[in-house]
Amino acid sequence: MTNPKPVKLAIVYYSTYGTNHQMAEVAAEAAREAGAEVRLRKVRETAPQEVVNTQDAWKAQQERTADIPEATPDDMEWADAYLFSSPTRFGGAASQVRAFIDTLGGLWATGKLANKTFSAMTSAQNPNGGQETTLQTLYFTAMHWGSIIVTPGYTDPAIFASGGNPYGASVTATGQPLSEEDKASIRHQVRRLVEITQNLKG
């Protein structure tokens, strides 16, 4: 019996100051350890460069991740599974993420986003800063695509230890490295996503 083909996972993120970049990196490492083939992609910055340049931390994050490719529709067509990570902006995903999603109409119209698994992660400055609504609105988008939503639920103690969000990993952005509890939650979520996707692939 031959080994099944590895799950192809596209991790798509936006990060202003670095939190969601950290989350995406942890997820990519865990996914590779679980046997997945991973494309780590950032969405294109849509804020004017002169605005980015006015904030040292924002500009530094841009420079730190200059070598990470930008997400394209090709990455979405290639993947079996999607993991999106976005900061919360007024209860929803960052406009940069929404701008990328708005480029996917052609793939949606031809059914090329359907029947693929989808999971999401987020961050905000405080625990009640809109994490749950951000994840839910991303899942609403996935429903329109016909994707299969895979949330962590309460399927591992790591979910409770990191704050107890069953919709997806949610981090309080402090400007510091991620806690071990947050990392464990992310790792569980992505392992579950890879496992369920592999089961669906057969």
Side-chain angles (χ1 to χ4, degrees):
M1 183 176 177
T2 59
N3 291 327
K5 292 183 179 179
V7 168
K8 294 182 288 186
L9 172 63
I11 299 176
V12 178
Y13 79 93
Y14 176 73
S15 191
T16 309
Y17 303 121
T19 299
N20 283 270
H21 174 222
Q22 290 184 63
M23 296 170 72
E25 291 279 11
V26 171
E29 180 182 12
R32 293 184 182 109
E33 289 174 354
E37 183 179 348
V38 177
R39 289 188 184 180
L40 178 64
R41 300 289 187 262
K42 64 187 179 189
V43 300
R44 185 173 65 86
E45 180 60 76
T46 58
Q49 189 61 43
E50 57 268 25
V51 174
V52 175
N53 291 343
T54 65
Q55 297 190 39
D56 291 343
W58 194 351
K59 185 179 179 183
Q61 172 62 21
Q62 188 181 66
E63 292 170 351
R64 267 195 303 273
T65 58
D67 62 330
I68 296 179
E70 291 183 350
T72 67
D74 176 70
D75 297 313
M76 300 294 287
E77 185 171 358
W78 166 86
D80 303 311
Y82 308 128
L83 179 64
F84 273 55
S85 190
S86 171
T88 293
R89 294 289 185 268
F90 305 109
S95 61
Q96 290 86 347
V97 174
R98 297 306 313 181
F100 172 67
I101 287 171
D102 286 347
T103 70
L104 303 176
L107 291 182
W108 165 81
T110 53
K112 291 179 180 176
L113 300 174
N115 303 322
K116 300 184 179 190
T117 55
F118 184 102
S119 199
M121 309 185 296
T122 191
S123 68
Q125 287 185 325
N126 55 70
N128 296 309
Q131 289 98 324
E132 292 188 0
T133 54
T134 296
L135 296 175
Q136 289 167 358
T137 54
L138 285 169
Y139 292 144
F140 294 157
T141 295
M143 290 178 194
H144 281 254
W145 293 348
S147 296
I148 300 161
I149 295 171
V150 179
T151 66
Y154 293 113
T155 56
D156 191 271
I159 307 305
F160 293 96
S162 65
N165 192 335
Y167 302 110
S170 302
V171 170
T172 300
T174 63
Q176 301 300 315
L178 298 177
S179 70
E180 290 306 312
E181 291 80 8
D182 287 331
K183 290 179 182 179
S185 176
I186 293 166
R187 291 185 186 110
H188 171 68
Q189 181 172 348
V190 76
R191 284 195 299 264
R192 177 172 163 81
L193 177 62
V194 170
E195 179 183 2
I196 290 176
T197 307
Q198 190 70 73
N199 290 341
L200 291 170
K201 281 168 63 73

